[in-house]
Amino acid sequence: MKDANAQIDHNRTLAGLIGSRICHDLISPVGAIANGLELLSLTGLPEGPEMQLVSQSAANAGARLRFFRVAFGMSSERQIMPTRELSGILGDVYTEKTHIDWTCIGDLERLVAQAICLGVLCAEQALAQGGTITIGGTAEAVEITSSGGPLTARPEHWGWLSTGVAPCDVPAAQVQFLMLHDLAFEMGRPVEVDVGANAVNLRF
């Protein structure tokens, strides 16, 4: 068991380093694009649909990079993330088909914030046509629920959260299920999953 725990920790550390490096290298040029667009708007350049599209795309890219930095970057138990900061990041990312309903109370350890972001990515998979992702509970007992739209939850993906056992050829779009399992295992907070007819719920 000790070797298995060490391997999980090594894999998570390596994945976190890669995620942090990618986000770090991309966030500056994406921010520069957003700043450049803002400067262009101050020159009196007419803001047509093309400029609006570029501006919205740059803002969305920046929001997703901040989100991915929390979800896939390095984190430790000693770091604290204010609830307002994380709910703001999620609110900037999910603005169209899928919306965030944040009711979670209290500031979060960075590991818990990372688990929430991974859980949101899992929850999003159940709402292919959009809906609501509700994040409730407390830092010690988080609950994430997908509801409000036709559910597209595949039981085998959600099963990975409990077992951590998956095929070798896991699609990139589902990697969050395995990462959340490993992170929750490290925190000593196993993930509980309930796939119902009208909602999918996960707790850790």
Side-chain angles (χ1 to χ4, degrees):
M1 181 62 70
K2 183 177 180 180
D3 290 342
N5 291 350
Q7 185 62 46
I8 287 175
D9 184 62
H10 172 75
N11 290 344
R12 200 182 74 78
T13 299
L14 183 59
L17 288 170
I18 294 171
S20 293
R21 175 60 190 269
I22 292 172
C23 291
H24 178 271
D25 286 1
L26 288 179
I27 200 149
S28 291
V30 169
I33 292 171
N35 291 337
L37 291 169
E38 185 176 352
L39 290 173
L40 282 174
S41 69
L42 295 176
T43 65
L45 187 71
E47 189 173 335
E50 299 86 355
M51 185 65 74
Q52 290 180 354
L53 177 61
V54 176
S55 297
Q56 290 171 359
S57 297
N60 183 258
R64 286 196 167 272
L65 278 172
R66 292 192 296 274
F67 174 52
F68 290 152
R69 176 179 259 175
V70 180
F72 299 114
M74 284 297 296
S75 58
S76 72
E77 296 178 0
R78 294 182 297 275
Q79 294 175 293
I80 298 296
M81 188 168 200
T83 296
R84 180 180 298 178
E85 181 181 352
L86 182 57
S87 63
I89 290 172
L90 291 170
D92 288 341
V93 171
Y94 293 93
T95 59
E96 297 181 3
K97 297 188 305 179
T98 302
H99 298 277
I100 298 293
D101 180 14
W102 183 281
T103 62
C104 190
I105 299 173
D107 291 340
L108 309 163
E109 292 182 356
R110 186 61 180 261
L111 288 177
V112 176
Q114 182 177 14
I116 288 174
C117 288
L118 292 171
V120 167
L121 287 171
C122 294
E124 183 184 25
Q125 293 283 304
L127 297 171
Q129 298 183 40
T132 300
I133 297 175
T134 303
I135 305 164
T138 65
E140 291 74 29
V142 177
E143 186 167 345
I144 301 175
T145 303
S146 305
S147 61
L151 297 181
T152 55
R154 294 181 59 176
E156 66 270 25
H157 295 163
W158 291 88
W160 299 344
L161 288 172
S162 302
T163 66
V165 178
C168 294
D169 57 344
V170 173
Q174 275 75 51
V175 69
Q176 62 269 15
F177 288 95
L178 293 180
M179 292 189 68
L180 178 55
H181 169 272
D182 288 355
L183 179 57
F185 182 88
E186 179 185 331
M187 294 191 299
R189 295 166 60 163
V191 182
E192 299 177 7
V193 179
D194 181 17
V195 180
N198 301 310
V200 178
N201 182 273
L202 65 88
R203 297 173 296 277
F204 54 83

